[in-house]
Amino acid sequence: MADRFDVIVVGVGAMGAATCWELARRGIRVLGLEQFDIPHSRGSSHGYSRMTRMSYFEHPDYVPLLRRANALWRELEQASGEKLLHLVGGLYLGPVDGPLVAGSLRSAREHGLAHELLNRTALARRFPQFQVPDDWSAMLEPEAGFLLPELAISTFVTGALRRGAEIHAHEEALSWHADAAGVRVVTPRQTYHAEKIVFSGGAWSQHLMSDLEVELNVTRQILGWVWPRAWESFQLGTLPGWMIDRLDGSVYYGFPMITHSPGMKVALHAPLQPADPNRVERGLLPGDEATFRPGLQRFMPGADGPLLALRTCLYTNSPDGHFIIDHHPRHERVILAAGFSGHGFKFASVIGEVLADLAQLGTTQHPIGFLGLSRFRP
Ligand SMILES: Cc1cc2nc3c(=O)[nH]c(=O)nc-3n(C[C@H](O)[C@H](O)[C@H](O)COP(=O)(O)OP(=O)(O)OC[C@H]3O[C@@H](n4cnc5c(N)ncnc54)[C@H](O)[C@@H]3O)c2cc1C
């Protein structure tokens, strides 16, 4: 088997799959190494749907990346014939000066994004599924919706393989070395050599990069599916993607019912229990359902029906909740993408392009300065 490549990508989840696709379609010899199946349900990229938004409440600096991400999702759809990005709209509920609505409005206004602000009366008329305090508002944006994560990863990988990438599942990168001559990666099967290495190891990133000097906090998260009591009101076409402000930096969020799984998906977006990805309980624990159930009871009583499924998933939280995309501080040949802090999937297409740029050219035109490691240095 070949042992020399231009680039080795360690971790073929969301970001690694997108990077393999992007490198392969540039004609670059890429090897992708994945320790489990492709795709799998032990990391951060499973559960049938991922929300995408444009008016990013987290920070307006993400908006240019989101614009490019959606253009690239559409390119991937064209190239593959698969439908991956479903723009069914996004509805963000909370006090108008709370972090969710105010942050979304700021991004929308700063970047001239289409949106509507609904007061409590307009919200009750248009979306009677929600019961919120009288002084709350909602922002509605058309360029939001959901992506299909398992299908997206499969589509990236299939496209990459068809364009000459080599991708190996069940082959863990055990160790690596980088010096002026190149990089070396050792697996249980073989030693590989390349010019550059991209680490996209998700929740295992700190295992691969113990010398990063930034703490990545992995947490065990819960996804739930319920059968809404008034199910007709929660179907695709009736309900957009939605988020509800909890006013403490966290939100309840969910999706209209889609055909890939029965019922309506709902979750709490906040780092939950600290976890080790190799030892985390992937079965259920008491209290798992209680992470999201109160949100339904309080704000969406018509959806507060029987439970259909629960799944665990992992967040890899950076110290400030923003992504980390950079060269390794001591190794120019090593590129890192980690700390996606529970909101990275929608960006996977553009992160793939950014990482391919960094591996191929050493730099990128994309505005990623705010995601660099230097922000953590004193
Ligand atoms: C419950 C939940 C809900 C979420 N909801 C949303 C949402 O609605 N919208 C959104 O945009 N984002 C959301 N996210 C976040 C998003 O899904 C993640 O940010 C994204 O999927 C992370 O991708 P990744 O490539 O970093 O990690 P992963 O997809 O987990 O990939 C990392 C891969 O690296 C592999 N790996 C690690 N170490 C090695 C090694 N040594 N050798 C070989 N392979 C290795 C792992 O096995 C894994 O496959 C959610 C996340 C969770 C957990």
Side-chain angles (χ1 to χ4, degrees):
M1 207 167 276
D3 70 349
R4 284 188 189 273
F5 295 87
D6 296 323
V7 182
I8 298 173
V9 175
V10 176
V12 187
M15 307 307 164
T19 308
C20 289
W21 152 253
E22 202 54 56
L23 288 167
R25 70 176 180 150
R26 296 179 189 192
I28 292 169
R29 285 177 310 150
V30 55
L31 169 68
L33 295 172
E34 168 55 49
Q35 62 185 343
F36 301 133
D37 286 337
I38 300 172
H40 66 88
S41 57
R42 291 193 250 186
S44 307
S45 303
H46 55 283
Y48 311 118
S49 52
R50 286 290 184 272
M51 188 176 289
T52 181
R53 301 171 269 123
M54 190 59 66
S55 299
Y56 222 55
F57 80 88
E58 289 88 340
H59 202 284
D61 285 356
Y62 284 99
V63 175
L65 293 172
L66 285 162
R67 283 194 159 123
R68 181 64 183 155
N70 281 6
L72 288 168
W73 288 120
R74 292 298 187 215
E75 261 183 41
L76 182 64
E77 288 182 336
Q78 286 256 309
S80 64
E82 299 289 353
K83 176 94 180 128
L84 303 166
L85 172 62
H86 297 257
L87 293 180
V88 298
L91 184 68
Y92 318 133
L93 303 97
V96 74
D97 56 354
L100 176 60
V101 176
S104 304
L105 282 171
R106 177 180 168 210
S107 278
R109 287 171 180 155
E110 222 167 272
H111 290 279
L113 302 171
H115 69 284
E116 272 180 83
L117 188 59
L118 308 180
N119 63 22
R120 176 73 186 75
T121 315
L123 175 68
R125 199 175 56 245
R126 301 261 299 270
F127 297 103
Q129 299 94 332
F130 297 93
Q131 286 187 7
V132 298
D134 286 342
D135 57 346
W136 278 28
S137 301
M139 188 187 132
L140 179 65
E141 71 164 338
E143 214 175 328
F146 61 91
L147 288 147
L148 304 178
E150 292 90 345
L151 181 60
I153 290 173
S154 302
T155 305
F156 279 132
V157 167
T158 304
L161 289 166
R162 285 184 175 157
R163 284 158 184 79
E166 194 154 323
I167 296 183
H168 302 172
H170 293 276
E171 187 166 353
E172 183 186 359
L174 297 174
S175 65
W176 60 277
H177 175 83
D179 59 27
V183 299
R184 195 170 68 227
V185 175
V186 179
T187 78
R189 280 191 214 152
Q190 211 174 317
T191 297
Y192 301 98
H193 303 268
E195 295 300 314
K196 299 281 176 70
I197 186 166
V198 173
F199 282 115
S200 47
W204 290 263
S205 294
Q206 204 109 56
H207 296 216
L208 294 162
M209 300 244 127
S210 49
D211 59 344
L212 206 58
E213 291 161 16
V214 174
E215 197 63 37
L216 296 174
N217 174 28
V218 175
T219 51
R220 177 181 180 273
Q221 304 293 134
I222 303 300
L223 295 167
W225 285 260
V226 297
W227 184 247
R229 287 193 292 112
W231 60 268
E232 294 92 337
S233 308
F234 297 91
Q235 298 180 89
L236 191 60
T238 313
L239 186 73
W242 52 270
M243 293 195 301
I244 299 174
D245 202 341
R246 288 179 15 115
L247 305 177
D248 61 354
S250 73
V251 296
Y252 292 117
Y253 70 97
F255 302 79
M257 295 196 283
I258 60 173
T259 50
H260 302 74
S261 56
M264 187 187 86
K265 180 174 164 184
V266 50
L268 170 63
H269 174 49
L272 299 179
Q273 303 127 345
D276 176 329
N278 291 329
R279 285 202 297 249
V280 62
E281 176 56 67
R282 288 189 171 82
L284 300 183
L285 294 172
D288 283 350
E289 187 179 347
T291 56
F292 61 81
R293 185 60 77 177
L296 296 180
Q297 288 163 346
R298 172 151 181 226
F299 299 109
M300 301 176 80
D304 185 25
L307 185 69
L308 293 174
L310 285 171
R311 300 256 196 293
T312 57
C313 187
L314 300 173
Y315 278 5
T316 309
N317 303 285
S318 73
D320 60 5
H322 296 294
F323 311 157
I324 299 172
I325 301 174
D326 210 335
H327 285 97
H328 189 289
R330 284 176 296 288
H331 302 288
E332 199 46 33
R333 293 178 183 276
V334 179
I335 296 142
L336 170 75
F340 288 95
S341 307
H343 61 114
F345 195 89
K346 61 184 84 59
F347 295 87
S349 55
V350 70
I351 301 296
E353 185 168 73
V354 165
L355 296 176
D357 285 348
L358 295 179
Q360 182 186 12
L361 313 166
T363 181
T364 181
Q365 302 279 336
H366 288 296
I368 57 157
F370 72 111
L371 303 174
L373 279 166
S374 63
R375 73 186 193 270
F376 300 115
R377 287 186 204 120

mmCIF file of all heavy atoms in Angstrom, residues 322-363:
data_model
loop_
_atom_site.group_PDB
_atom_site.id
_atom_site.type_symbol
_atom_site.label_atom_id
_atom_site.label_comp_id
_atom_site.label_asym_id
_atom_site.label_seq_id
_atom_site.Cartn_x
_atom_site.Cartn_y
_atom_site.Cartn_z
ATOM 1 N N HIS A 322 -15.544 29.369 20.808
ATOM 2 C CA HIS A 322 -15.293 29.608 19.381
ATOM 3 C C HIS A 322 -14.319 28.549 18.855
ATOM 4 O O HIS A 322 -13.515 27.990 19.603
ATOM 5 C CB HIS A 322 -14.741 31.026 19.168
ATOM 6 C CG HIS A 322 -15.741 32.077 19.561
ATOM 7 N ND1 HIS A 322 -16.927 32.269 18.896
ATOM 8 C CD2 HIS A 322 -15.745 32.971 20.582
ATOM 9 C CE1 HIS A 322 -17.612 33.240 19.474
ATOM 10 N NE2 HIS A 322 -16.929 33.681 20.504
ATOM 11 N N PHE A 323 -14.374 28.321 17.548
ATOM 12 C CA PHE A 323 -13.576 27.253 16.944
ATOM 13 C C PHE A 323 -12.070 27.574 17.057
ATOM 14 O O PHE A 323 -11.678 28.733 17.230
ATOM 15 C CB PHE A 323 -13.890 27.104 15.456
ATOM 16 C CG PHE A 323 -15.353 27.030 15.110
ATOM 17 C CD1 PHE A 323 -15.788 27.368 13.824
ATOM 18 C CD2 PHE A 323 -16.307 26.628 16.030
ATOM 19 C CE1 PHE A 323 -17.135 27.303 13.482
ATOM 20 C CE2 PHE A 323 -17.655 26.550 15.698
ATOM 21 C CZ PHE A 323 -18.065 26.904 14.422
ATOM 22 N N ILE A 324 -11.260 26.533 16.882
ATOM 23 C CA ILE A 324 -9.802 26.709 16.810
ATOM 24 C C ILE A 324 -9.338 26.170 15.459
ATOM 25 O O ILE A 324 -9.458 24.963 15.188
ATOM 26 C CB ILE A 324 -9.088 25.969 17.954
ATOM 27 C CG1 ILE A 324 -9.552 26.519 19.311
ATOM 28 C CG2 ILE A 324 -7.568 26.092 17.807
ATOM 29 C CD1 ILE A 324 -9.037 25.718 20.505
ATOM 30 N N ILE A 325 -8.861 27.072 14.610
ATOM 31 C CA ILE A 325 -8.345 26.665 13.294
ATOM 32 C C ILE A 325 -7.033 27.398 13.091
ATOM 33 O O ILE A 325 -6.998 28.637 13.045
ATOM 34 C CB ILE A 325 -9.334 27.029 12.171
ATOM 35 C CG1 ILE A 325 -10.676 26.334 12.444
ATOM 36 C CG2 ILE A 325 -8.773 26.611 10.811
ATOM 37 C CD1 ILE A 325 -11.759 26.726 11.505
ATOM 38 N N ASP A 326 -5.953 26.635 13.008
ATOM 39 C CA ASP A 326 -4.644 27.300 12.975
ATOM 40 C C ASP A 326 -3.562 26.287 12.612
ATOM 41 O O ASP A 326 -3.806 25.072 12.602
ATOM 42 C CB ASP A 326 -4.338 27.882 14.362
ATOM 43 C CG ASP A 326 -3.474 29.137 14.303
ATOM 44 O OD1 ASP A 326 -2.739 29.294 13.303
ATOM 45 O OD2 ASP A 326 -3.530 29.925 15.249
ATOM 46 N N HIS A 327 -2.375 26.817 12.363
ATOM 47 C CA HIS A 327 -1.195 25.953 12.345
ATOM 48 C C HIS A 327 -0.817 25.619 13.784
ATOM 49 O O HIS A 327 -1.082 26.400 14.700
ATOM 50 C CB HIS A 327 -0.016 26.671 11.671
ATOM 51 C CG HIS A 327 -0.153 26.733 10.184
ATOM 52 N ND1 HIS A 327 -0.653 27.827 9.521
ATOM 53 C CD2 HIS A 327 0.152 25.816 9.228
ATOM 54 C CE1 HIS A 327 -0.654 27.589 8.233
ATOM 55 N NE2 HIS A 327 -0.177 26.381 8.014
ATOM 56 N N HIS A 328 -0.190 24.476 13.956
ATOM 57 C CA HIS A 328 0.366 24.148 15.274
ATOM 58 C C HIS A 328 1.406 25.206 15.624
ATOM 59 O O HIS A 328 2.214 25.584 14.757
ATOM 60 C CB HIS A 328 1.012 22.755 15.207
ATOM 61 C CG HIS A 328 1.418 22.223 16.538
ATOM 62 N ND1 HIS A 328 2.474 22.735 17.254
ATOM 63 C CD2 HIS A 328 0.899 21.228 17.287
ATOM 64 C CE1 HIS A 328 2.592 22.068 18.387
ATOM 65 N NE2 HIS A 328 1.642 21.144 18.429
ATOM 66 N N PRO A 329 1.401 25.710 16.859
ATOM 67 C CA PRO A 329 2.332 26.805 17.182
ATOM 68 C C PRO A 329 3.806 26.474 16.963
ATOM 69 O O PRO A 329 4.610 27.373 16.709
ATOM 70 C CB PRO A 329 2.061 27.083 18.668
ATOM 71 C CG PRO A 329 1.100 26.053 19.141
ATOM 72 C CD PRO A 329 0.520 25.347 17.951
ATOM 73 N N ARG A 330 4.176 25.198 17.015
ATOM 74 C CA ARG A 330 5.597 24.852 16.854
ATOM 75 C C ARG A 330 5.892 24.031 15.594
ATOM 76 O O ARG A 330 7.047 23.723 15.336
ATOM 77 C CB ARG A 330 6.089 24.089 18.096
ATOM 78 C CG ARG A 330 6.327 24.994 19.295
ATOM 79 C CD ARG A 330 6.715 24.231 20.530
ATOM 80 N NE ARG A 330 5.665 23.347 20.978
ATOM 81 C CZ ARG A 330 4.540 23.735 21.551
ATOM 82 N NH1 ARG A 330 4.302 25.017 21.748
ATOM 83 N NH2 ARG A 330 3.622 22.854 21.922
ATOM 84 N N HIS A 331 4.858 23.699 14.835
ATOM 85 C CA HIS A 331 5.082 22.867 13.634
ATOM 86 C C HIS A 331 4.306 23.439 12.454
ATOM 87 O O HIS A 331 3.091 23.261 12.358
ATOM 88 C CB HIS A 331 4.626 21.418 13.878
ATOM 89 C CG HIS A 331 5.300 20.752 15.028
ATOM 90 N ND1 HIS A 331 6.618 20.360 14.979
ATOM 91 C CD2 HIS A 331 4.856 20.408 16.251
ATOM 92 C CE1 HIS A 331 6.940 19.800 16.137
ATOM 93 N NE2 HIS A 331 5.891 19.822 16.923
ATOM 94 N N GLU A 332 5.026 24.080 11.553
ATOM 95 C CA GLU A 332 4.394 24.716 10.384
ATOM 96 C C GLU A 332 3.659 23.697 9.501
ATOM 97 O O GLU A 332 2.692 24.027 8.826
ATOM 98 C CB GLU A 332 5.512 25.435 9.589
ATOM 99 C CG GLU A 332 5.073 26.502 8.617
ATOM 100 C CD GLU A 332 4.033 27.501 9.171
ATOM 101 O OE1 GLU A 332 4.055 27.830 10.375
ATOM 102 O OE2 GLU A 332 3.205 27.922 8.360
ATOM 103 N N ARG A 333 4.099 22.461 9.522
ATOM 104 C CA ARG A 333 3.483 21.444 8.658
ATOM 105 C C ARG A 333 2.209 20.851 9.253
ATOM 106 O O ARG A 333 1.564 20.017 8.621
ATOM 107 C CB ARG A 333 4.472 20.290 8.423
ATOM 108 C CG ARG A 333 5.673 20.670 7.607
ATOM 109 C CD ARG A 333 6.606 19.484 7.484
ATOM 110 N NE ARG A 333 7.803 19.832 6.757
ATOM 111 C CZ ARG A 333 7.896 19.824 5.430
ATOM 112 N NH1 ARG A 333 6.863 19.468 4.703
ATOM 113 N NH2 ARG A 333 9.030 20.163 4.840
ATOM 114 N N VAL A 334 1.882 21.248 10.477
ATOM 115 C CA VAL A 334 0.748 20.632 11.180
ATOM 116 C C VAL A 334 -0.390 21.644 11.306
ATOM 117 O O VAL A 334 -0.185 22.755 11.797
ATOM 118 C CB VAL A 334 1.199 20.152 12.585
ATOM 119 C CG1 VAL A 334 0.034 19.535 13.334
ATOM 120 C CG2 VAL A 334 2.350 19.167 12.453
ATOM 121 N N ILE A 335 -1.584 21.243 10.876
ATOM 122 C CA ILE A 335 -2.746 22.129 10.876
ATOM 123 C C ILE A 335 -3.815 21.502 11.762
ATOM 124 O O ILE A 335 -4.018 20.287 11.725
ATOM 125 C CB ILE A 335 -3.261 22.316 9.433
ATOM 126 C CG1 ILE A 335 -2.180 23.025 8.617
ATOM 127 C CG2 ILE A 335 -4.563 23.083 9.385
ATOM 128 C CD1 ILE A 335 -2.074 22.526 7.216
ATOM 129 N N LEU A 336 -4.479 22.352 12.498
ATOM 130 C CA LEU A 336 -5.404 21.859 13.510
ATOM 131 C C LEU A 336 -6.779 22.486 13.332
ATOM 132 O O LEU A 336 -6.899 23.691 13.118
ATOM 133 C CB LEU A 336 -4.834 22.255 14.878
ATOM 134 C CG LEU A 336 -5.753 22.044 16.062
ATOM 135 C CD1 LEU A 336 -5.813 20.563 16.392
ATOM 136 C CD2 LEU A 336 -5.252 22.843 17.242
ATOM 137 N N ALA A 337 -7.820 21.662 13.443
ATOM 138 C CA ALA A 337 -9.208 22.163 13.460
ATOM 139 C C ALA A 337 -9.912 21.450 14.603
ATOM 140 O O ALA A 337 -10.121 20.237 14.545
ATOM 141 C CB ALA A 337 -9.893 21.857 12.143
ATOM 142 N N ALA A 338 -10.244 22.172 15.645
ATOM 143 C CA ALA A 338 -10.823 21.533 16.839
ATOM 144 C C ALA A 338 -11.684 22.535 17.601
ATOM 145 O O ALA A 338 -11.833 23.683 17.196
ATOM 146 C CB ALA A 338 -9.703 21.016 17.741
ATOM 147 N N GLY A 339 -12.245 22.055 18.702
ATOM 148 C CA GLY A 339 -12.994 22.955 19.593
ATOM 149 C C GLY A 339 -14.244 23.530 18.938
ATOM 150 O O GLY A 339 -14.561 24.703 19.133
ATOM 151 N N PHE A 340 -14.978 22.706 18.215
ATOM 152 C CA PHE A 340 -16.152 23.236 17.494
ATOM 153 C C PHE A 340 -17.338 23.494 18.428
ATOM 154 O O PHE A 340 -18.369 23.994 17.994
ATOM 155 C CB PHE A 340 -16.489 22.358 16.287
ATOM 156 C CG PHE A 340 -15.467 22.535 15.195
ATOM 157 C CD1 PHE A 340 -14.385 21.678 15.077
ATOM 158 C CD2 PHE A 340 -15.537 23.621 14.353
ATOM 159 C CE1 PHE A 340 -13.413 21.883 14.106
ATOM 160 C CE2 PHE A 340 -14.567 23.847 13.381
ATOM 161 C CZ PHE A 340 -13.501 22.967 13.260
ATOM 162 N N SER A 341 -17.190 23.171 19.702
ATOM 163 C CA SER A 341 -18.052 23.671 20.778
ATOM 164 C C SER A 341 -19.555 23.532 20.508
ATOM 165 O O SER A 341 -20.351 24.402 20.871
ATOM 166 C CB SER A 341 -17.704 25.139 21.070
ATOM 167 O OG SER A 341 -16.318 25.285 21.313
ATOM 168 N N GLY A 342 -19.924 22.456 19.815
ATOM 169 C CA GLY A 342 -21.352 22.163 19.632
ATOM 170 C C GLY A 342 -22.051 22.968 18.573
ATOM 171 O O GLY A 342 -23.272 22.905 18.448
ATOM 172 N N HIS A 343 -21.288 23.740 17.742
ATOM 173 C CA HIS A 343 -21.990 24.482 16.678
ATOM 174 C C HIS A 343 -21.233 24.464 15.351
ATOM 175 O O HIS A 343 -21.433 25.341 14.501
ATOM 176 C CB HIS A 343 -22.330 25.909 17.134
ATOM 177 C CG HIS A 343 -21.162 26.789 17.492
ATOM 178 N ND1 HIS A 343 -20.828 27.903 16.764
ATOM 179 C CD2 HIS A 343 -20.271 26.747 18.508
ATOM 180 C CE1 HIS A 343 -19.794 28.507 17.319
ATOM 181 N NE2 HIS A 343 -19.431 27.823 18.380
ATOM 182 N N GLY A 344 -20.417 23.412 15.131
ATOM 183 C CA GLY A 344 -19.533 23.442 13.965
ATOM 184 C C GLY A 344 -20.063 22.827 12.688
ATOM 185 O O GLY A 344 -19.551 23.131 11.612
ATOM 186 N N PHE A 345 -21.075 21.955 12.786
ATOM 187 C CA PHE A 345 -21.379 21.147 11.605
ATOM 188 C C PHE A 345 -21.725 21.985 10.378
ATOM 189 O O PHE A 345 -21.278 21.699 9.262
ATOM 190 C CB PHE A 345 -22.504 20.128 11.862
ATOM 191 C CG PHE A 345 -22.533 19.111 10.771
ATOM 192 C CD1 PHE A 345 -21.775 17.966 10.846
ATOM 193 C CD2 PHE A 345 -23.242 19.347 9.600
ATOM 194 C CE1 PHE A 345 -21.717 17.061 9.797
ATOM 195 C CE2 PHE A 345 -23.202 18.453 8.541
ATOM 196 C CZ PHE A 345 -22.439 17.305 8.645
ATOM 197 N N LYS A 346 -22.532 23.001 10.566
ATOM 198 C CA LYS A 346 -22.998 23.823 9.428
ATOM 199 C C LYS A 346 -21.831 24.428 8.652
ATOM 200 O O LYS A 346 -21.980 24.800 7.496
ATOM 201 C CB LYS A 346 -23.946 24.920 9.937
ATOM 202 C CG LYS A 346 -23.297 25.880 10.930
ATOM 203 C CD LYS A 346 -24.265 26.898 11.496
ATOM 204 C CE LYS A 346 -25.066 26.408 12.662
ATOM 205 N NZ LYS A 346 -24.296 25.946 13.847
ATOM 206 N N PHE A 347 -20.660 24.539 9.308
ATOM 207 C CA PHE A 347 -19.471 25.124 8.686
ATOM 208 C C PHE A 347 -18.590 24.088 8.000
ATOM 209 O O PHE A 347 -17.575 24.453 7.411
ATOM 210 C CB PHE A 347 -18.607 25.812 9.756
ATOM 211 C CG PHE A 347 -19.239 26.995 10.425
ATOM 212 C CD1 PHE A 347 -20.049 26.840 11.538
ATOM 213 C CD2 PHE A 347 -19.017 28.282 9.946
ATOM 214 C CE1 PHE A 347 -20.624 27.932 12.159
ATOM 215 C CE2 PHE A 347 -19.586 29.383 10.564
ATOM 216 C CZ PHE A 347 -20.398 29.204 11.676
ATOM 217 N N ALA A 348 -18.925 22.804 8.109
ATOM 218 C CA ALA A 348 -17.967 21.774 7.691
ATOM 219 C C ALA A 348 -17.487 21.996 6.258
ATOM 220 O O ALA A 348 -16.295 21.838 5.958
ATOM 221 C CB ALA A 348 -18.590 20.383 7.841
ATOM 222 N N SER A 349 -18.391 22.390 5.366
ATOM 223 C CA SER A 349 -17.993 22.554 3.957
ATOM 224 C C SER A 349 -16.904 23.618 3.821
ATOM 225 O O SER A 349 -15.916 23.415 3.103
ATOM 226 C CB SER A 349 -19.209 22.903 3.106
ATOM 227 O OG SER A 349 -19.862 24.039 3.633
ATOM 228 N N VAL A 350 -17.078 24.749 4.514
ATOM 229 C CA VAL A 350 -16.078 25.818 4.380
ATOM 230 C C VAL A 350 -14.820 25.511 5.201
ATOM 231 O O VAL A 350 -13.710 25.879 4.815
ATOM 232 C CB VAL A 350 -16.678 27.209 4.715
ATOM 233 C CG1 VAL A 350 -16.993 27.372 6.193
ATOM 234 C CG2 VAL A 350 -15.716 28.312 4.281
ATOM 235 N N ILE A 351 -14.985 24.805 6.309
ATOM 236 C CA ILE A 351 -13.784 24.419 7.083
ATOM 237 C C ILE A 351 -12.919 23.496 6.212
ATOM 238 O O ILE A 351 -11.687 23.597 6.205
ATOM 239 C CB ILE A 351 -14.164 23.704 8.408
ATOM 240 C CG1 ILE A 351 -15.044 24.594 9.289
ATOM 241 C CG2 ILE A 351 -12.912 23.247 9.162
ATOM 242 C CD1 ILE A 351 -14.438 25.844 9.804
ATOM 243 N N GLY A 352 -13.565 22.615 5.458
ATOM 244 C CA GLY A 352 -12.811 21.755 4.530
ATOM 245 C C GLY A 352 -12.010 22.586 3.545
ATOM 246 O O GLY A 352 -10.844 22.286 3.253
ATOM 247 N N GLU A 353 -12.628 23.651 3.043
ATOM 248 C CA GLU A 353 -11.922 24.512 2.084
ATOM 249 C C GLU A 353 -10.759 25.250 2.769
ATOM 250 O O GLU A 353 -9.655 25.345 2.225
ATOM 251 C CB GLU A 353 -12.899 25.516 1.469
ATOM 252 C CG GLU A 353 -12.292 26.361 0.373
ATOM 253 C CD GLU A 353 -13.357 27.135 -0.406
ATOM 254 O OE1 GLU A 353 -13.909 28.117 0.131
ATOM 255 O OE2 GLU A 353 -13.637 26.759 -1.557
ATOM 256 N N VAL A 354 -11.022 25.755 3.971
ATOM 257 C CA VAL A 354 -9.978 26.466 4.713
ATOM 258 C C VAL A 354 -8.794 25.534 5.008
ATOM 259 O O VAL A 354 -7.626 25.902 4.799
ATOM 260 C CB VAL A 354 -10.558 27.025 6.045
ATOM 261 C CG1 VAL A 354 -9.456 27.434 7.003
ATOM 262 C CG2 VAL A 354 -11.516 28.184 5.774
ATOM 263 N N LEU A 355 -9.096 24.322 5.476
ATOM 264 C CA LEU A 355 -8.010 23.394 5.835
ATOM 265 C C LEU A 355 -7.239 22.953 4.595
ATOM 266 O O LEU A 355 -6.009 22.800 4.637
ATOM 267 C CB LEU A 355 -8.572 22.188 6.597
ATOM 268 C CG LEU A 355 -9.219 22.526 7.956
ATOM 269 C CD1 LEU A 355 -9.839 21.283 8.580
ATOM 270 C CD2 LEU A 355 -8.204 23.146 8.919
ATOM 271 N N ALA A 356 -7.957 22.781 3.492
ATOM 272 C CA ALA A 356 -7.263 22.440 2.239
ATOM 273 C C ALA A 356 -6.358 23.598 1.812
ATOM 274 O O ALA A 356 -5.220 23.375 1.379
ATOM 275 C CB ALA A 356 -8.283 22.116 1.152
ATOM 276 N N ASP A 357 -6.834 24.846 1.953
ATOM 277 C CA ASP A 357 -5.990 26.008 1.647
ATOM 278 C C ASP A 357 -4.726 26.002 2.515
ATOM 279 O O ASP A 357 -3.610 26.197 2.019
ATOM 280 C CB ASP A 357 -6.738 27.319 1.948
ATOM 281 C CG ASP A 357 -7.804 27.653 0.913
ATOM 282 O OD1 ASP A 357 -7.827 27.020 -0.150
ATOM 283 O OD2 ASP A 357 -8.610 28.567 1.197
ATOM 284 N N LEU A 358 -4.918 25.803 3.815
ATOM 285 C CA LEU A 358 -3.766 25.858 4.729
ATOM 286 C C LEU A 358 -2.771 24.747 4.402
ATOM 287 O O LEU A 358 -1.561 24.959 4.452
ATOM 288 C CB LEU A 358 -4.224 25.760 6.187
ATOM 289 C CG LEU A 358 -5.091 26.922 6.702
ATOM 290 C CD1 LEU A 358 -5.489 26.694 8.159
ATOM 291 C CD2 LEU A 358 -4.380 28.273 6.569
ATOM 292 N N ALA A 359 -3.298 23.569 4.036
ATOM 293 C CA ALA A 359 -2.399 22.450 3.717
ATOM 294 C C ALA A 359 -1.712 22.670 2.372
ATOM 295 O O ALA A 359 -0.531 22.376 2.218
ATOM 296 C CB ALA A 359 -3.191 21.142 3.700
ATOM 297 N N GLN A 360 -2.447 23.208 1.409
ATOM 298 C CA GLN A 360 -1.882 23.342 0.056
ATOM 299 C C GLN A 360 -1.038 24.610 -0.082
ATOM 300 O O GLN A 360 0.036 24.597 -0.682
ATOM 301 C CB GLN A 360 -3.026 23.396 -0.974
ATOM 302 C CG GLN A 360 -2.538 23.488 -2.404
ATOM 303 C CD GLN A 360 -3.691 23.686 -3.398
ATOM 304 O OE1 GLN A 360 -4.819 23.967 -3.021
ATOM 305 N NE2 GLN A 360 -3.375 23.544 -4.676
ATOM 306 N N LEU A 361 -1.549 25.731 0.472
ATOM 307 C CA LEU A 361 -0.933 27.035 0.203
ATOM 308 C C LEU A 361 -0.252 27.653 1.423
ATOM 309 O O LEU A 361 0.441 28.659 1.303
ATOM 310 C CB LEU A 361 -2.014 28.026 -0.293
ATOM 311 C CG LEU A 361 -2.953 27.503 -1.392
ATOM 312 C CD1 LEU A 361 -4.154 28.400 -1.543
ATOM 313 C CD2 LEU A 361 -2.177 27.379 -2.713
ATOM 314 N N GLY A 362 -0.549 27.107 2.579
ATOM 315 C CA GLY A 362 0.017 27.671 3.816
ATOM 316 C C GLY A 362 -0.793 28.830 4.344
ATOM 317 O O GLY A 362 -0.527 29.348 5.437
ATOM 318 N N THR A 363 -1.806 29.279 3.602
ATOM 319 C CA THR A 363 -2.625 30.416 4.023
ATOM 320 C C THR A 363 -3.994 30.295 3.367
ATOM 321 O O THR A 363 -4.193 29.441 2.500
ATOM 322 C CB THR A 363 -1.932 31.734 3.618
ATOM 323 O OG1 THR A 363 -2.731 32.823 4.053
ATOM 324 C CG2 THR A 363 -1.740 31.849 2.109
#
